[in-house]
């Protein structure tokens, strides 16, 4: 039982103990980490985009061997982005480092793709007749539709970001779509104008549409080998896909600051060192128990339930320490009973609890207001965690919610703070991105069916475009890369880029089939005309994304590496799978005559 008299000085000495000085946190670590991440990504993206631009210019110059080949995509990117961000600024859209990054990357990628296809076909026409203006007209007539169609499908697939219930991702979808649209329009206008300047060239004697350069000859030989070995190629891709699909089941949808950013990033190492120190913690969240009536928070039964909950929470994997009103109350009880450790517990009666609170407040104690409201109706439990993985934190928040509801059946239980909000946002984002990816696939499939007026063409066009998701997802699962905001954003973006080459291949196969009425001849000519452009586009785009691999940040490095995997897997599918499907399924109708070429 508590003594009748205790001096105010003694209570004041208790509440001024060092351990109470930090009971009320001035804020969790999430705002600081988020701010540091934003600053770091903004700085890092500026450097990476500069490297990417230089790589793009060098590789474009080597591949096209033309100054126009370098200038045209740069003008397309600058024109498209200036127009996009001008509209975004005028309409006061939400823009941050992530929103800026994705449209900029896409602008580079699609500008390269569109310009390479235009340059490649234009160069072929110049070898045949050497007339510059005539070559431009033939290029736009032959390639213009497929380039425009590629841009349209990419634009539509990016609008699938609108299904994610997070405002910044809506802006990512809108701004990315606008950047693709304006880069497309700039490419279709500026590139032909640039190519129109200059003198006509002497055509290569004897060079016809069926003639080959060193590289087109290689592509034709590759096409012949693909058509001669459909079973070997098909079974090989099937085996690889099965192996990678196993990896898909291993993907964890989570944001883990250590795995996502990496300890090579200075602020991450500092945060992790502090969080893993004896006194520090990485993040914290609060549980609020709102009881049905006032003064119920002072009842010993409810305080003992809170004590039982606090004991349970201390056994959670991520919990480092917990804090509540019980820490003050138990310490006061022990002090009022001459420091007997047996009294480091909750008092037995409500009167004793009320007396202790009164003494505490009269002595100038202010910490209690952080853990209990003035109506004595709400109790707060702060949980500090030693590590952060959004999936694990989500499970533990659900667990504490369930445990609290069992102990306080009539109370309203709420988890509050930046951590629950951030976890919810991350899980919404990742799962929304998966929905976005599925919707993109369905939309692209429908567009292909409508454009080619064939259900079979639409379905066949989707098969090679699934390869980036399978290869990237399988790689993530087997290597252990978490599915976070950056990696989840990559999948719809890869789909929008991968479909471009498929459209070029199928569209030109259809044009050649209409001329020859023979599938193998049409496919061989397609390899000759657009095959090298598809390869060059993939090589240059991969080189641009390779710049991200130079980053010390795991998120950027993984983004670049997985983008390369996605691009190259899409290229392999378009060169090895699409020709087999077109030939075997007879997607353009029954052959009417046989040609040997």
């Amino acid at each position: 039982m508590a003594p009748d008299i205790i001096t105010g000085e003694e209570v004041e000495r208790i509440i001024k103990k060092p351990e109470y000085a930090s009971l009320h946190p001035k804020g969790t670590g999430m705002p600081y980490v988020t701010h540091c991440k934003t600053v770091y990504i903004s700085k890092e993206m500026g450097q990476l985009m500069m490297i990417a631009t230089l790589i793009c210019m060098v590789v474009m110059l080597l591949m096209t061997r033309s100054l126009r080949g370098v200038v045209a995509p740069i003008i397309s990117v600058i024109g498209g982005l200036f127009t996009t961000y001008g509209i975004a600024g005028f309409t006061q859209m939400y823009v941050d480092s992530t929103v800026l990054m994705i449209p900029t990357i896409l602008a580079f990628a699609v500008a390269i793709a569109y310009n390479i296809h235009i340059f490649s076909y234009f160069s072929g026409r110049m070898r045949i007749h050497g007339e510059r203006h005539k070559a431009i007209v033939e290029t736009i007539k032959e390639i213009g539709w497929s380039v425009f169609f590629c841009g349209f499908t990419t634009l539509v697939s990016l609008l699938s970001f609108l299904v994610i219930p997070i405002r910044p991702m809506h802006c990512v979808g809108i701004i990315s779509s606008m950047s693709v649209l304006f880069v497309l329009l700039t490419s279709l206008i500026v590139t032909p104008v640039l190519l129109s300047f200059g003198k006509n060239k002497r055509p290569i004697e004897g060079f016809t549409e069926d003639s080959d350069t060193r590289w087109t000859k290689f592509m034709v030989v590759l096409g012949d080998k693909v058509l001669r070995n459909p079973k070997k190629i098909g079974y090989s891709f099937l085996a690889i896909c099965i192996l990678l699909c196993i990896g898909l089941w291993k993907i964890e949808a989570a944001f883990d600051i250590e795995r996502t950013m990496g300890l090579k990033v200075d602020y991450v190492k500092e945060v992790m060192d502090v969080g893993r120190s004896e006194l520090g913690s990485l993040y914290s969240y609060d549980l609020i128990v709102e009881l049905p009536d006032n003064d119920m928070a002072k009842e010993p039964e409810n305080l003992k339930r809170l004590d039982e909950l606090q004991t349970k929470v201390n056994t959670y994997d991520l919990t480092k320490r917990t804090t509540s009103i019980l820490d003050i109350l138990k310490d006061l009880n022990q002090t009022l009973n001459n420091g007997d450790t047996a009294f480091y517990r909750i008092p037995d009666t409500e009167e004793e609890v009320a007396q202790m609170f009164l003494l505490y407040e009269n002595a100038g104690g202010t910490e209690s207001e952080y853990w209990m409201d003035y109506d004595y109706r709400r109790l707060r439990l702060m949980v500090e965690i030693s590590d952060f993985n959004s999936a694990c934190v989500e499970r533990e928040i659900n667990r504490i919610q369930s445990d609290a509801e069992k102990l306080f059946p009539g109370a309203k239980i709420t988890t509050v703070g930046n951590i629950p909000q951030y976890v919810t946002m991350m899980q919404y984002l990742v799962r929304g991105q998966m929905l976005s990816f599925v919707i993109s696939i369905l939309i692209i499939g429908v567009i292909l069916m409508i454009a080619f007026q064939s259900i079979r063409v639409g379905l066949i066009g989707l098969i090679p475009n699934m390869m980036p998701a399978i290869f990237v997802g399988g790689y993530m699962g087997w290597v252990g890369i978490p599915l976070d905001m950056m990696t989840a954003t990559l999948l719809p973006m890869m789909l929008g880029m991968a479909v471009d080459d498929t459209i070029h291949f199928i569209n030109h196969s259809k044009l050649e089939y209409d001329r020859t009425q023979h599938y193998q001849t049409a496919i061989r000519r397609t390899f000759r005309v657009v095959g090298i452009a598809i390869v060059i586009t993939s090589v240059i785009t991969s080189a641009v994304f390779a710049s991200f691999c130079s980053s010390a940040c795991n998120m950027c490095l993984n983004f670049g590496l997985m983008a390369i995997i996605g691009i190259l897997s899409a290229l392999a599918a378009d060169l090895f799978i699409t020709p087999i499907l077109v030939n075997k399924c007879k997607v353009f109708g029954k052959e009417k005559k046989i040609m040997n070429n």
Side-chain angles (χ1 to χ4, degrees):
M1 191 173 193
D4 294 332
I5 300 174
I6 183 170
T7 64
E9 290 80 4
E10 191 168 358
V11 176
E12 189 173 0
R13 179 182 58 79
I14 295 170
I15 65 175
K16 288 184 177 180
K17 285 184 176 182
E19 56 264 37
Y20 292 149
S22 60
L23 281 180
H24 178 55
K26 303 305 178 185
T28 64
M30 182 58 70
Y32 169 76
V33 173
T34 303
H35 171 72
C36 289
K37 178 184 173 184
T38 302
V39 172
Y40 177 83
I41 291 297
S42 298
K43 181 180 178 182
E44 189 76 356
M45 283 308 303
Q47 296 175 350
L48 292 177
M49 290 311 301
M50 186 179 297
I51 296 172
T53 303
L54 293 174
I55 291 175
C56 172
M57 293 172 66
V58 171
V59 178
M60 285 285 290
L61 185 61
L62 292 174
M63 289 292 182
T64 62
R65 296 182 181 181
S66 168
L67 184 60
R68 290 188 180 95
V70 177
V71 174
I74 297 299
I75 293 177
S76 299
V77 170
I78 293 174
L81 290 180
F82 264 75
T83 307
T84 298
Y85 291 127
I87 295 174
F90 184 76
T91 57
Q92 297 183 341
M93 284 188 184
Y94 173 89
V95 176
D96 62 12
S97 57
T98 304
V99 175
L100 287 170
M101 179 185 65
I102 295 174
T104 304
I105 296 171
L106 273 172
F108 269 94
V110 298
I112 291 168
Y114 303 154
N115 282 279
I116 285 293
H117 281 283
I118 294 172
F119 265 84
S120 179
Y121 194 84
F122 174 81
S123 299
R125 304 313 298 177
M126 288 294 288
R127 293 189 191 97
I128 295 173
H129 53 68
E131 298 179 25
R132 190 173 291 275
H133 289 180
K134 181 180 178 182
I136 291 172
V137 172
E138 292 172 342
T139 299
I140 297 301
K141 183 178 179 181
E142 189 84 5
I143 300 295
W145 160 245
S146 58
V147 169
F148 178 81
F149 190 40
C150 288
F152 179 72
T153 52
T154 303
L155 184 154
V156 172
S157 69
L158 291 170
L159 288 176
S160 63
F161 281 102
L162 296 176
V163 304
I164 303 171
I166 298 176
R167 184 185 173 191
M169 298 313 297
H170 292 178
C171 295
V172 169
I174 294 171
I175 293 178
S176 297
S177 299
M178 286 197 301
S179 67
V180 170
L181 173 62
F182 292 124
V183 167
L184 170 65
L185 296 177
T186 307
S187 298
L188 290 175
I189 295 170
V190 172
T191 304
V193 171
L194 285 176
L195 293 176
S196 67
F197 289 104
K199 298 178 181 180
N200 294 335
K201 294 184 179 180
R202 180 179 297 178
I204 299 176
E205 189 175 349
F207 198 92
T208 66
E209 292 184 357
D210 294 324
S211 300
D212 290 313
T213 63
R214 179 177 58 181
W215 293 110
T216 58
K217 184 177 181 180
F218 171 79
M219 296 305 302
V220 171
V221 171
L222 176 63
D224 288 338
K225 289 184 178 180
V226 170
L227 293 173
R228 284 198 299 265
N229 300 282
K231 290 185 177 180
K232 291 181 180 179
I233 294 172
Y235 288 138
S236 297
F237 261 84
L238 182 62
I240 294 172
C241 288
I242 291 173
L243 181 64
L244 291 172
C245 284
I246 296 173
L248 283 170
W249 292 103
K250 299 176 180 288
I251 295 179
E252 180 185 21
F255 175 84
D256 183 328
I257 185 173
E258 184 175 2
R259 283 195 297 165
T260 300
M261 301 297 292
L263 294 178
K264 292 182 180 179
V265 179
D266 291 338
Y267 87 85
V268 174
K269 187 177 185 306
E270 292 173 2
V271 167
M272 297 304 297
D273 288 343
V274 171
R276 289 169 178 171
S277 64
E278 185 177 351
L279 295 179
S281 62
L282 191 60
Y283 304 115
S284 67
Y285 63 91
D286 295 332
L287 179 82
I288 303 298
V289 179
E290 184 177 349
L291 298 164
D293 298 312
N294 294 342
D295 296 323
M296 290 186 70
K298 292 191 295 184
E299 295 177 2
E301 294 78 9
N302 287 324
L303 292 172
K304 288 176 181 177
R305 291 190 183 104
L306 180 63
D307 191 28
E308 183 180 348
L309 176 64
Q310 192 167 346
T311 302
K312 282 186 177 181
V313 176
N314 282 324
T315 65
Y316 292 1
D317 292 336
L318 295 180
T319 299
K320 188 163 189 176
R321 68 176 66 89
T322 57
T323 311
S324 70
I325 191 65
L326 303 180
D327 300 284
I328 298 174
L329 193 59
K330 289 178 181 180
D331 204 351
L332 280 171
N333 193 26
Q334 180 181 348
T335 302
L336 292 171
N337 286 278
N338 301 317
D340 187 350
T341 56
F343 285 88
Y344 189 76
R345 57 179 174 79
I346 299 168
D348 296 322
T349 65
E350 187 174 347
E351 290 75 15
E352 288 180 284
V353 173
Q355 180 190 17
M356 290 181 189
F357 282 141
L358 181 62
L359 286 169
Y360 179 81
E361 291 167 2
N362 288 339
T366 59
E367 295 291 340
S368 62
E369 67 187 50
Y370 302 140
W371 311 106
M372 183 182 292
D373 67 337
Y374 291 114
D375 295 326
Y376 297 105
R377 186 176 180 179
R378 297 175 182 84
L379 293 166
R380 171 186 169 211
L381 174 65
M382 183 178 76
V383 183
E384 296 177 70
I385 57 179
S386 57
D387 206 344
F388 182 79
N389 177 301
S390 61
C392 295
V393 173
E394 183 184 38
R395 288 193 292 268
E396 293 203 353
I397 288 177
N398 291 336
R399 182 180 173 188
I400 193 175
Q401 186 93 16
S402 175
D403 289 341
E405 288 172 354
K406 291 176 183 177
L407 289 168
F408 298 93
K412 179 182 178 182
I413 309 299
T414 311
T415 53
V416 297
N418 289 295
I419 286 293
Q421 295 174 15
Y422 191 76
V423 167
T424 302
M425 183 191 73
M426 285 300 303
Q427 302 310 98
Y428 263 122
L429 178 63
V430 172
R431 291 160 188 165
Q433 290 286 35
M434 295 303 98
L435 177 61
S436 169
F437 178 73
V438 172
I439 291 175
S440 296
I441 291 175
L442 296 176
I443 291 174
I444 289 174
V446 171
I447 292 174
L448 289 173
M449 292 175 191
I450 294 173
F452 292 105
Q453 299 180 351
S454 170
I455 294 176
R456 284 189 298 175
V457 173
L459 295 175
I460 285 173
L462 288 180
I463 294 175
N465 290 299
M466 292 294 293
M467 292 300 160
I470 294 173
F471 274 71
V472 171
Y475 170 78
M476 289 174 59
W478 284 113
V479 176
I481 298 174
L483 187 65
D484 54 29
M485 183 177 72
M486 193 82 163
T487 51
T489 304
L490 180 66
L491 295 180
M493 191 171 75
M494 283 293 101
L495 178 62
M497 293 171 61
V499 74
D500 290 359
D501 289 341
T502 305
I503 289 172
H504 280 292
F505 196 97
I506 292 178
N507 183 65
H508 203 81
S509 296
K510 177 68 166 61
L511 292 174
E512 295 294 348
Y513 176 78
D514 291 340
R515 293 166 183 156
T516 64
Q517 298 297 310
H518 186 249
Y519 279 98
Q520 292 196 10
T521 303
I523 291 171
R524 291 179 79 250
R525 289 186 174 182
T526 300
F527 268 91
R528 176 182 291 117
V529 175
V530 301
I532 191 63
I534 291 174
V535 172
I536 292 176
T537 297
S538 300
V539 169
I540 297 177
T541 308
S542 297
V544 171
F545 280 105
S547 63
F548 286 77
C549 297
S550 64
S551 175
C553 174
N554 287 346
M555 181 172 66
C556 295
L557 189 151
N558 290 330
F559 183 83
L561 183 58
M562 289 188 294
I564 293 172
I565 292 173
I567 291 167
L568 296 182
S569 63
L571 172 65
D574 283 319
L575 294 180
F576 292 97
I577 300 300
T578 305
I580 294 173
L581 293 174
V582 170
N583 185 45
K584 291 293 182 181
C585 298
K586 310 298 180 189
V587 294
F588 306 130
K590 193 173 180 179
E591 289 181 333
K592 297 181 181 179
K593 62 181 178 178
I594 298 176
M595 294 182 64
N596 294 318
N597 190 23

